[in-house]
Amino acid sequence: MAGVWAPATTLRAQSDQPASVTIQYIEHYKDIAESEMIRTGVPAAISLAQGILESQSGQGWLVAHSHNHFGVKCKSDWAGPTISYDDDRKNECFRSYQTDDSSWRDHSDFLMNNPRYAFLFNLDPSDYKAWATGLKSAGY
């Protein structure tokens, strides 16, 4: 998969975790990232990078307590399980999942169904650089 692998020193700098933890994270979640790319068009490299950053390579509190790999907050349309966590504000509402896979699927759906990110789906899923720039410009 193009664009997923990076030198170990780059991985450590990006995730603040030892490179081995980040590489293990990639190995563990690359198949679901690829299947989500096929299902929704969200580039696997983007999902993996966001998962690494948002979850501290799977070592973060939200992953351990709610399987939330992407720090997705509840918002008004969320009817599923929730968990409180101090983020930008104290006791913010975050989505909680039964499994890691459901977090990955919901992240893809969140991007796909949010009008704020609709323009990204006009980009080639293999162009992870354009996706990263687009996500930044959309405020992700």
Side-chain angles (χ1 to χ4, degrees), residues 15-86:
S15 72
D16 234 11
Q17 291 292 325
S20 61
V21 171
T22 302
I23 291 169
Q24 288 172 1
Y25 186 86
I26 292 167
E27 281 295 318
H28 189 81
Y29 293 106
K30 69 181 180 181
D31 291 341
I32 190 152
E34 289 175 342
S35 70
E36 284 302 295
M37 181 171 72
I38 292 165
R39 184 178 75 87
T40 67
V42 176
I46 289 295
S47 295
L48 285 165
Q50 287 182 307
I52 289 165
L53 292 172
E54 294 286 348
S55 76
Q56 296 85 47
S57 298
Q59 305 298 301
W61 190 91
L62 277 174
V63 172
H65 293 87
S66 67
H67 299 281
N68 189 333
H69 285 256
F70 299 96
V72 180
K73 294 182 180 176
C74 296
K75 305 293 183 199
S76 61
D77 62 342
W78 179 250
T82 65
I83 191 166
S84 294
Y85 179 70
D86 295 348

Side-chain angles (χ1 to χ4, degrees), residues 107-136:
H107 172 257
S108 299
D109 291 343
F110 174 80
L111 293 175
M112 191 171 58
N113 296 321
N114 191 323
R116 180 181 185 181
Y117 305 114
F119 73 97
L120 295 170
F121 292 89
N122 295 322
L123 301 172
D124 183 338
S126 67
D127 191 353
Y128 64 90
K129 290 180 182 179
W131 267 77
T133 301
L135 280 166
K136 183 177 180 180

